[in-house]
Amino acid sequence: RAWLEYTGMAEGDETGEGWTANIHPDDKEETLNAYYGAVSERKYYRLEYRLRGSGGEFRWMADFGMPYNDLHNNFAGFIGSCFDIDDRRKYEDTISALLRIAEKLYSSLEIDQILDSLIYESIVMTNAEGGFACVVGDDGYEIKRYYHLERWDYFEKTLAFESEPVRRLNYEREIIQINPAEEPGFIDKSLV
């Protein structure tokens, strides 16, 4: 029942290979190979894959299965369960990104390389299309580079201390994610 509520599918839709319909396309082949390998060998399996919920969002799941036998010791199928591990995976991804950033910090004192690493890792963690990093200067937050859709743009720009992005960052102390379609006046057009 929990699976059906999460996926929004009917029980009949989940039989056979129907249960695989909501597995993320990038995870599907590896997941099915591991699953069918375990089924053919009748051995325990543990899978991790992204599963689309009824709202369209993908979340990471851990799927466990154990073969079981009937009273006559004949193979009778698998007993399994599935758990949402999305928060754990995001935490692990964040820790990995922070370790990569720390490695950059350790291996280079070049501020541009450090900023590049921070920008790129932040984009990967938030699944964004682009981003930029700033350093505090005398007149405001100085932008040295901007990354968007797999390309770097190098330029220098300063966001004044009284500008909206800086105000939000300083007072709300949270990561700023911007959707230009929803907040068209929020950020400088040259960055969009």
Side-chain angles (χ1 to χ4, degrees):
R1 181 173 302 278
W3 176 280
L4 296 176
E5 287 175 5
Y6 176 78
T7 63
M9 304 284 279
E11 189 172 341
D13 297 333
E14 297 287 336
T15 57
E17 288 195 5
W19 69 275
T20 67
N22 286 322
I23 295 176
H24 193 284
D26 293 345
D27 303 334
K28 197 167 192 172
E29 183 178 349
E30 183 179 341
T31 299
L32 292 181
N33 287 341
Y35 172 77
Y36 287 121
V39 168
S40 68
E41 295 176 28
R42 297 180 180 169
K43 67 176 189 178
Y44 169 85
Y45 67 85
R46 182 184 186 281
L47 310 169
E48 289 189 12
Y49 54 86
R50 288 165 288 182
L51 185 68
R52 182 179 42 243
S54 60
E57 175 190 15
F58 283 96
R59 292 186 63 83
W60 281 99
M61 301 291 163
D63 193 339
F64 304 87
M66 177 73 76
Y68 74 97
N69 295 333
D70 62 17
L71 295 175
H72 304 290
N73 206 27
N74 297 315
F75 175 72
F78 282 81
I79 295 176
S81 59
C82 189
F83 299 94
D84 184 324
I85 59 166
D86 199 68
D87 293 337
R88 188 205 81 197
R89 284 294 295 245
K90 287 177 181 170
Y91 175 76
E92 289 172 353
D93 291 345
T94 300
I95 294 297
S96 295
L98 291 173
L99 289 172
R100 288 190 298 274
I101 291 169
E103 184 177 324
K104 276 279 195 214
L105 289 170
Y106 180 73
S107 67
S108 172
L109 295 179
E110 181 64 41
I111 188 67
D112 290 340
Q113 290 179 357
I114 294 168
L115 289 176
D116 287 352
S117 181
L118 289 169
I119 294 166
Y120 182 77
E121 294 297 343
S122 297
I123 289 167
V124 170
M125 284 191 308
T126 59
N127 199 27
E129 293 180 351
F132 59 92
C134 305
V135 292
V136 178
D138 293 335
D139 300 323
Y141 282 51
E142 297 174 3
I143 302 168
K144 302 286 188 183
R145 61 208 356 87
Y146 178 70
Y147 184 82
H148 183 69
L149 297 176
E150 300 182 6
R151 103 174 173 267
W152 288 99
D153 288 328
Y154 295 90
F155 64 94
E156 293 194 18
K157 181 159 195 68
T158 299
L159 295 175
F161 289 118
E162 65 274 1
S163 68
E164 180 64 13
V166 173
R167 188 197 63 73
R168 265 176 64 180
L169 181 64
N170 281 337
Y171 294 107
E172 296 178 20
R173 293 287 190 207
E174 64 183 40
I175 294 171
I176 300 173
Q177 289 184 274
I178 301 160
N179 180 344
E182 294 173 5
E183 301 183 66
F186 176 72
I187 194 144
D188 190 293
K189 296 292 182 220
S190 65
L191 292 175
V192 175

